[in-house]
Amino acid sequence: MVRTIVRKKVATGVNGQYIAHHACDQLSPRLRAGRSRRSPRRLRAPSLRTAPSPGQFTVDLPGGGDVIHYPAVLPHADVYSVKVSPYLPDPAGPAVVTAWTMLVSLSTGKPLALLDATELTVERTAATTALTADLLLPPGARTAAVIGYGRIGRAHARYLRHLRPGLTIRAFSPKGVDEADDGVQAAANLEDAVTVQTW
């Protein structure tokens, strides 16, 4: 994925590339087409096992809010990466939450790409959760619940439906489910979403 992102030219800067939000939208259908399903053994590939990741850390901001940092080294790609995700409260409305990833060459020390990672974060979060659910759900499971049906919730339901085509998804959101996707049933309340009738 790193090599694909780096080679996707959207806007070229002096030393690297800026990959905008809409370019990530163009990449996401590849994730949705079925390549997300990997066996646990493949998820533990040597390239992932040997990627040093010192762990995330958070920097608190004056007046509230914070920025979470996710650094990692990808030796197989000759790349250092860092993702930053600012959380900026706004007293007048919803908080501002964004995600940015920068890739830096381990050979030259120069930036290779600046990526608007908001949509990729949604896809990654939903895909990994769905893979986990697929491993934990009984083989004959027929129903699953998704609590919260915003952008991330819808992505969770989409991946679950891909992995388990016969699965019925019950979705509940405190703000209401305006329009449910195929195979998704809107639940009127939390109890309806998580309660399974056995008769």
Side-chain angles (χ1 to χ4, degrees):
M1 180 58 75
V2 170
R3 297 185 188 280
T4 301
I5 292 172
V6 170
R7 291 175 183 171
K8 180 132 183 111
K9 291 190 176 181
V10 177
T12 303
V14 177
N15 294 318
Q17 299 171 26
Y18 166 68
I19 301 175
H21 184 83
H22 62 82
C24 297
D25 289 341
Q26 296 169 9
L27 288 173
S28 352
R30 301 182 190 178
L31 301 175
R32 299 170 185 166
R35 296 185 181 181
S36 63
R37 185 164 194 172
R38 307 283 181 89
S39 69
R41 184 172 298 176
R42 289 193 64 185
L43 286 172
R44 294 193 294 267
S47 60
L48 297 179
R49 288 201 308 266
T50 57
S53 180
Q56 71 184 52
F57 62 93
T58 303
V59 176
D60 293 325
L61 301 177
D66 55 52
V67 181
I68 305 177
H69 297 67
Y70 306 85
V73 180
L74 308 174
H76 62 287
D78 195 35
V79 163
Y80 170 81
S81 73
V82 61
K83 173 184 172 183
V84 295
S85 182
Y87 171 79
L88 310 173
D90 182 354
V96 174
V97 182
T98 63
W100 297 89
T101 297
M102 183 172 67
L103 306 179
V104 178
S105 168
L106 293 179
S107 298
T108 67
K110 295 181 178 180
L112 298 172
L114 176 63
L115 169 68
D116 180 346
T118 304
E119 281 302 315
L120 288 181
T121 299
V122 170
E123 297 295 322
R124 188 278 323 274
T125 302
T128 52
T129 303
L131 285 170
T132 303
D134 187 42
L135 291 174
L136 296 177
L137 283 171
R142 293 180 296 175
T143 307
V146 173
I147 310 303
Y149 202 63
R151 183 175 54 180
I152 297 178
R154 295 176 80 104
H156 277 76
R158 173 165 39 82
Y159 275 102
L160 279 171
R161 289 277 294 157
H162 172 74
L163 294 176
R164 302 273 187 114
L167 197 66
T168 297
I169 308 294
R170 294 177 182 171
F172 169 73
S173 173
K175 297 180 180 179
V177 177
D178 295 331
E179 184 179 351
D181 298 321
D182 290 344
V184 178
Q185 299 175 355
N189 52 61
L190 181 60
E191 184 178 357
D192 287 348
V194 300
T195 301
V196 177
Q197 302 293 342
T198 57
W199 63 79

